[in-house]
Amino acid sequence: MVSLELARTVVGIIGNIIALFLFLSPLPTFVGIWKKGSVEQFSAIPYLATLVNCLVWVLYGLPAVHPGSILVITINGAGTLIELVYIVLFFVFSDRKKRVKLVLVLLVELVFITLLSLVVLLFFHTHTKRSMVVGTICILFNIGMYASPLSVMKLVITTKSVEYMPLSLSIASFANGVAWSIYACLPFDPYILIPNGLGTLFGLAQLILYGSYYKSTKLQKAEREGKGQVILSEVITNGSKDHSWKKEGLEGEVHGA
């Protein structure tokens, strides 16, 4: 019979793999930034928000705060490194004004996480109290990050199109929420379960929206392509008429001579 600890470890490893995919999903954006040599209109806020979220979860997983959470540390430690790489690239390819804002926000985040660590470790002397303080902050941060999926879902409903909501990311978000929700039940951990339970619901809602608006998206694409073909046909037809007219005019000139 599979032990509870083994089951938790397996689910946690699966959660690490899925979450790593989500952390790496912005890579195409940064490849484009690298090629263009500019961040253009992209914002660093999502990466800064993810960074501080990862840092808080790393603090939560420390043995001094919440023992037995090594898999929470591994994925959020990896996420911290990945987000730092994104932020460095954003800094390199930004103008001076954006660089100043980036550095200021980054400093605020580092000061925040340092003060939080000191307060938790110096003023709270049990794992239960430390887990409660850091876990509550983790929940608040995660709920704040759900604003992004909500805006995308609103766009889908408004446009009746899932063009800007990739299916692979929706599936990964849902699977990530499921994996970590199961992990949080082996044994019960409300601070991991609450944000990931919400993540599961948001992921499921995205999949339902995708199924609801998949056909209308295909119709919109077909309509756009159809309009493009009509316009191209008109250009070709007009071009042929012009060519025929010029040819007839030329022949008239020859006959008149």
Side-chain angles (χ1 to χ4, degrees), residues 111-205:
V111 169
F112 168 77
I113 199 69
T114 301
L115 289 176
L116 177 62
S117 301
L118 290 174
V119 168
V120 169
L121 296 175
L122 294 177
F123 296 98
F124 295 90
H125 304 294
T126 65
H127 291 141
T128 302
K129 289 181 179 180
R130 289 173 177 176
S131 296
M132 181 184 68
V133 173
V134 181
T136 302
I137 293 173
C138 286
I139 291 172
L140 294 175
F141 273 50
N142 269 63
I143 290 174
M145 289 184 70
Y146 288 139
S148 177
L150 280 174
S151 61
V152 174
M153 289 161 68
K154 181 182 177 182
L155 180 65
V156 169
I157 294 169
T158 304
T159 61
K160 300 188 187 313
S161 172
V162 293
E163 262 186 286
Y164 301 103
M165 190 176 72
L167 179 60
S168 58
L169 286 181
S170 297
I171 293 173
S173 297
F174 175 69
N176 185 65
V178 170
W180 286 105
S181 293
I182 295 172
Y183 177 88
C185 294
L186 304 169
F188 182 69
D189 187 332
Y191 306 110
I192 295 178
L193 181 60
I194 291 172
N196 286 288
L198 287 172
T200 301
L201 292 176
F202 279 112
L204 180 60

Side-chain angles (χ1 to χ4, degrees), residues 21-214:
F21 169 78
L22 290 172
F23 282 133
L24 293 174
S25 61
L27 270 179
T29 298
F30 282 92
V31 170
I33 289 172
W34 182 285
K35 289 180 178 178
K36 292 176 183 176
S38 171
V39 297
E40 297 180 312
Q41 300 303 312
F42 288 107
S43 171
I45 296 301
Y47 311 107
L48 289 164
T50 305
L51 174 65
V52 71
N53 186 65
C54 286
L55 288 171
V56 174
W57 276 111
V58 168
L59 177 60
Y60 178 82
L62 291 177
V65 177
H66 196 82
S69 302
I70 186 64
L71 290 171
V72 174
I73 296 176
T74 54
I75 188 54
N76 286 287
T80 297
L81 293 176
I82 292 169
E83 298 306 319
L84 282 173
V85 171
Y86 292 155
I87 290 167
V88 168
L89 287 172
F90 207 96
F91 180 86
V92 171
F93 295 109
S94 294
D95 55 34
R96 186 176 180 278
K97 187 177 180 180
K98 286 184 177 178
R99 285 179 178 178
V100 171
K101 288 182 178 179
L102 181 65
V103 172
L104 287 175
V105 175
L106 188 57
L107 284 174
V108 169
E109 289 185 351
L110 293 176
V111 169
F112 168 77
I113 199 69
T114 301
L115 289 176
L116 177 62
S117 301
L118 290 174
V119 168
V120 169
L121 296 175
L122 294 177
F123 296 98
F124 295 90
H125 304 294
T126 65
H127 291 141
T128 302
K129 289 181 179 180
R130 289 173 177 176
S131 296
M132 181 184 68
V133 173
V134 181
T136 302
I137 293 173
C138 286
I139 291 172
L140 294 175
F141 273 50
N142 269 63
I143 290 174
M145 289 184 70
Y146 288 139
S148 177
L150 280 174
S151 61
V152 174
M153 289 161 68
K154 181 182 177 182
L155 180 65
V156 169
I157 294 169
T158 304
T159 61
K160 300 188 187 313
S161 172
V162 293
E163 262 186 286
Y164 301 103
M165 190 176 72
L167 179 60
S168 58
L169 286 181
S170 297
I171 293 173
S173 297
F174 175 69
N176 185 65
V178 170
W180 286 105
S181 293
I182 295 172
Y183 177 88
C185 294
L186 304 169
F188 182 69
D189 187 332
Y191 306 110
I192 295 178
L193 181 60
I194 291 172
N196 286 288
L198 287 172
T200 301
L201 292 176
F202 279 112
L204 180 60
Q206 288 179 44
L207 293 177
I208 291 171
L209 283 177
Y210 198 94
S212 301
Y213 293 110
Y214 176 70

